[in-house]
Amino acid sequence: MTIAAGDRIPSATLQVMGENGPTGISTDDIFKGKKVVLFAVPGAFTPGCSMTHLPGYVVNADKILAGGVDTIACLSVNDAFVMDAWGKAQNAEHILMLADGNGDFTGALGLELDGRGFGMGTRSQRYAMIVDDGVVSVLNVEPAGGVDVSSAETIMAAL
């Protein structure tokens, strides 16, 4: 079952790059008591993700944060090394780059994407959500190939 507005974010541990390598971060640490914009991409360094999706959040990060958001987070079913390198390549210093390497969190959300036809295995669908203290208030899942309903501009309008 796919997560929906009004549902609580499931408990999971994701990975971020720490000073000494990949470090676990719980969903409680990310979402508890905070307003978070979480957007997910099928893959770091892929064309739509690198040319449109993440750059929109990078360019608008200050406006989103000024709108009462505590954290902007980008998630992908990639490892922490890849997410860290992609964040640095995209100048995403105001965005928390989250790795869901095994896709466990993505699976718990019910937002998997079958990328086997492209040699990518199981990935995340492209989506964006607004989460208030661990509860989803807005969820925008993209139709195949789209980068519109989950864009930074669309999410800013929903804040």
Side-chain angles (χ1 to χ4, degrees):
M1 186 168 84
T2 303
I3 197 163
D7 292 345
R8 182 161 291 285
I9 292 290
S11 293
T13 300
L14 300 164
Q15 298 284 313
V16 294
M17 187 57 71
E19 288 184 25
N20 298 316
T23 303
I25 183 171
S26 75
T27 49
D28 276 350
D29 290 338
I30 298 166
F31 298 104
K32 190 174 183 180
K34 299 175 188 167
K35 185 170 195 161
V36 178
V37 169
L38 171 69
F39 68 101
V41 299
F45 292 105
T46 57
C49 305
S50 290
M51 293 188 304
T52 306
H53 208 190
L54 177 56
Y57 283 93
V58 170
V59 168
N60 290 295
D62 290 337
K63 292 177 190 169
I64 294 168
L65 294 169
V69 171
D70 298 296
T71 305
I72 304 167
C74 175
L75 178 123
S76 185
V77 179
N78 283 114
D79 62 65
F81 295 100
V82 169
M83 292 302 287
D84 183 59
W86 189 41
K88 288 176 180 170
Q90 292 282 325
N91 299 312
E93 61 263 1
H94 297 297
I95 298 174
L96 180 63
M97 302 300 284
L98 297 171
D100 184 20
N102 294 327
D104 295 336
F105 180 69
T106 298
L109 294 176
L111 290 168
E112 306 98 324
L113 170 73
D114 183 355
R116 290 178 295 170
F118 305 102
M120 295 174 70
T122 301
R123 296 295 179 112
S124 175
Q125 291 183 51
R126 185 182 309 279
Y127 66 85
M129 62 173 69
I130 300 171
V131 182
D132 292 299
D133 192 21
V135 177
V136 177
S137 58
V138 174
L139 173 63
N140 295 349
V141 181
E142 288 288 351
V147 186
D148 181 44
V149 301
S150 64
S151 71
E153 294 79 10
T154 300
I155 289 301
M156 287 184 341
L159 287 172

